[in-house]
């Protein structure tokens, strides 16, 4: 028998691990490494897309010199609201809107990833999630422990992301019909939404800089502040992720009740008190699994099956799911929007005057030749 000492629940408790059941460091390290590898790969992909798009926008200027850089369709992954509208338009009409088709397929890929591996996009693929996690980890090292908001404040704040999601969902899936959706999707505002987004950050106002700085500071103090309280995308994937058959599962027989899993969980889920983790906050990051000192006590499993899913297999499943869906868009011709560059150049000088249409009359005026 092996004896370990832990500080779980702020108390020293001597716990016994059955002989041959101790999970070695060699077994635990790859769990985080696989996730970090996928995070870095997708973040580098986003950086590459960002550089390409920056060069594309620079080439739209009237005084631009040199050859025009091809617009990277992957930038549409940063237009989730437009993608949601395209999804609803497709469900109502069976037609894929031509302006941002890649955004629709990226959204479908992320939703499918959530069905396969829970809310894994947030902890395995999202570049904002990686930044938030890194900043939070730095703050935790500075303070010596993770800092959390009290539960009486945590619960109402967590509802904010669902209120934001509900607002967009109601507007898109309830208020707007096929005609209204097409009117909006056809607007120059929607076509140039990615360019406007670039200018929003490239030419950030003082207010924008202050808001971003506040969010970074809050994420430094309270780990993953944006993800936990404000991200409507995360709220959507959390709901979808509950439907995934693959869950973190605890074996009560093997578990030694050390509480390390609950202490390690960045989403503050009481993993040590659940047999199967069913939570909209679980991101399948496997941090709790990596912290568990007992082999087989805590694993990611398909509900109803005994065999655990290895970190390598879940990493392959996440990447493969995403690539299959986006690859399908490329093969079928629904990746590029095929909008002529001259049309972008024609609209570019008016980019600053393009406001979000708020009425049917404005939509009609924007769509008028």
């Amino acid at each position: 028998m092996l004896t370990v000492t832990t500080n779980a629940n702020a108390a020293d408790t001597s716990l016994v691990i059955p002989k041959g059941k101790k999970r070695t460091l060699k077994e635990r390290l790859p769990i985080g490494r696989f996730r970090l590898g996928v995070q870095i790969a997708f973040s580098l992909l986003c950086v590459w897309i960002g550089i390409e798009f920056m060069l594309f926008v620079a080439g739209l200027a009237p005084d631009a010199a040199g050859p025009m850089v091809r617009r990277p369709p992957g930038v549409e992954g940063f237009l989730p609201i437009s993608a949601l509208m395209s999804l609803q338009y497709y469900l109502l009409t069976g037609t894929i809107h031509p302006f941002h088709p890649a955004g629709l397929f990226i959204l479908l890929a992320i939703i499918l990833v959530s069905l396969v591996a829970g809310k894994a996009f947030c902890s395995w693929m999202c570049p904002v999630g990686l930044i938030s996690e890194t900043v939070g980890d730095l703050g935790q090292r500075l303070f010596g422990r993770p800092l959390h908001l009290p539960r009486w404040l945590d619960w109402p704040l967590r509802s904010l992301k669902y209120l934001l999601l509900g607002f967009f969902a109601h507007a898109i899936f309830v208020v707007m019909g096929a005609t209204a959706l097409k009117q909006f999707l056809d607007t120059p505002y929607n076509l140039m939404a990615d360019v406007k987004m670039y200018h929003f950050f490239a030419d950030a106002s003082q207010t924008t800089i202050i808001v971003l700085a506040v969010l970074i500071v809050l994420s430094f103090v309270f780990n993953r502040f944006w993800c936990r309280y404000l991200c409507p995308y995360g709220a959507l994937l959390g709901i979808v992720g509950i439907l995934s058959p693959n869950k973190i599962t605890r074996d009560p027989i093997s578990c030694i009740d050390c509480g390390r899993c609950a202490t390690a969980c960045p989403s503050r889920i009481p993993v040590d008190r659940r047999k199967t983790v069913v939570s909209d906050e679980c991101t399948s990051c496997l941090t709790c699994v990596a912290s568990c000192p007992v082999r087989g006590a805590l694993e990611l499993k398909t509900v109803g099956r005994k065999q655990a899913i290895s970190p390598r297999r879940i990493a392959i499943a996440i990447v493969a799911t995403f690539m299959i869906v986006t690859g399908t868009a490329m093969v079928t011709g629904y990746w590029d929007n095929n909008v002529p560059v001259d049309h972008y150049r024609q609209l570019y000088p008016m980019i600053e005057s393009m406001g979000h249409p708020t009425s049917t009359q404005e939509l009609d005026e924007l769509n008028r030749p």
Side-chain angles (χ1 to χ4, degrees):
M1 306 289 278
L2 298 172
T3 302
V4 297
T5 301
T6 178
N7 290 324
N9 301 321
D12 290 337
T13 308
S14 293
L15 301 166
V16 178
I17 301 178
K19 186 176 181 180
K21 284 288 188 177
K22 183 178 181 180
R23 181 181 270 148
T24 64
L25 186 63
K26 186 177 180 180
E27 292 175 299
R28 294 161 64 181
L29 281 179
I31 296 176
R33 287 177 177 174
F34 276 116
R35 186 169 71 91
L36 181 60
V38 175
Q39 282 180 309
I40 292 175
F42 273 92
S43 295
L44 290 176
L45 175 62
C46 290
V47 170
W48 178 32
I49 291 172
I51 293 174
E52 277 196 322
F53 189 68
M54 178 183 67
L55 296 175
F56 168 78
V57 173
L60 295 177
D63 57 348
M68 186 73 184
V69 175
R70 173 181 174 272
R71 174 185 174 274
V75 73
E76 295 171 16
F78 294 92
L79 302 174
I81 305 304
S82 179
L84 273 176
M85 298 179 77
S86 294
L87 175 60
Q88 174 66 345
Y89 182 69
Y90 174 76
L91 293 175
L92 292 175
T93 66
T95 301
I96 296 176
H97 195 273
F99 279 2
H100 298 300
L104 171 61
F105 279 88
I106 291 172
L107 174 63
L108 291 174
I110 292 171
I111 290 175
L112 192 54
V113 165
S114 299
L115 289 173
V116 170
K119 195 179 173 182
F121 171 78
C122 300
S123 63
W124 286 76
M125 302 168 66
C126 180
V128 177
L130 176 59
I131 293 172
S132 182
E133 183 178 334
T134 303
V135 171
D137 289 345
L138 289 174
Q140 183 172 328
R141 291 182 182 181
L142 176 66
F143 297 115
R145 61 185 180 88
L147 300 180
H148 304 299
L149 290 174
R151 290 196 177 277
W152 63 266
L153 184 58
D154 178 67
W155 277 92
L157 285 180
R158 281 169 56 189
S159 68
L160 290 177
K161 61 180 181 287
Y162 292 99
L163 291 175
L164 290 171
L165 175 64
F167 170 79
F168 291 120
H170 180 265
I172 295 171
F173 293 95
V174 178
V175 175
M176 301 182 75
T179 301
L181 285 167
K182 187 176 189 307
Q183 283 182 311
F184 181 90
L185 293 172
D186 285 346
T187 60
Y189 175 88
N190 180 52
L191 174 62
M192 301 295 284
D194 45 5
V195 181
K196 286 186 69 67
M197 176 188 64
Y198 170 79
H199 277 278
F200 178 81
F201 289 103
D203 304 320
S205 65
Q206 184 178 7
T207 301
T208 300
I209 294 173
I210 291 174
V211 170
L212 291 175
V214 169
L215 287 174
I216 291 174
V217 171
L218 288 172
S219 296
F220 186 78
V221 178
F222 304 108
N223 204 340
R224 298 166 176 82
F225 184 90
W226 165 262
C227 306
R228 186 172 180 84
Y229 300 117
L230 298 173
C231 181
Y233 216 170
L236 171 64
L237 301 183
I239 295 171
V240 175
I242 291 179
L243 303 176
S244 173
N246 300 313
K247 309 285 187 188
I248 301 295
T249 304
R250 183 177 66 89
D251 180 9
I253 298 176
S254 301
C255 179
I256 60 173
D257 297 316
C258 65
R260 291 184 181 182
C261 53
T263 301
C265 178
S267 298
R268 301 173 61 185
I269 300 171
V271 183
D272 58 334
R273 299 201 298 270
R274 300 187 181 180
K275 186 175 180 180
T276 301
V277 176
V278 181
S279 172
D280 59 308
E281 295 292 341
C282 179
T283 62
S284 299
C285 66
L286 305 183
T287 303
C288 59
V289 177
S291 70
C292 182
V294 183
R295 188 182 300 118
L298 197 66
E299 303 285 1
L300 179 68
K301 296 181 179 180
T302 301
V303 175
R305 300 189 64 179
K306 294 182 178 181
Q307 185 178 3
I309 304 174
S310 69
R312 183 192 300 271
R313 286 173 59 194
I314 199 64
I316 292 173
I318 290 170
V319 174
T321 300
F322 187 85
M323 293 184 66
I324 288 172
V325 177
T326 53
T328 299
M330 297 175 191
V331 172
T332 56
Y334 288 113
W335 188 246
D336 292 280
N337 65 8
N338 296 320
V339 176
V341 172
D342 287 343
H343 191 46
Y344 277 103
R345 286 197 172 113
Q346 181 183 358
L347 293 173
Y348 186 73
M350 300 178 284
I351 191 72
E352 297 301 330
S353 62
M354 289 183 185
H356 192 290
T358 58
S359 66
T360 303
Q361 182 179 355
E362 287 186 42
L363 288 170
D364 289 338
E365 290 177 357
L366 285 171
N367 290 326
R368 190 174 298 133

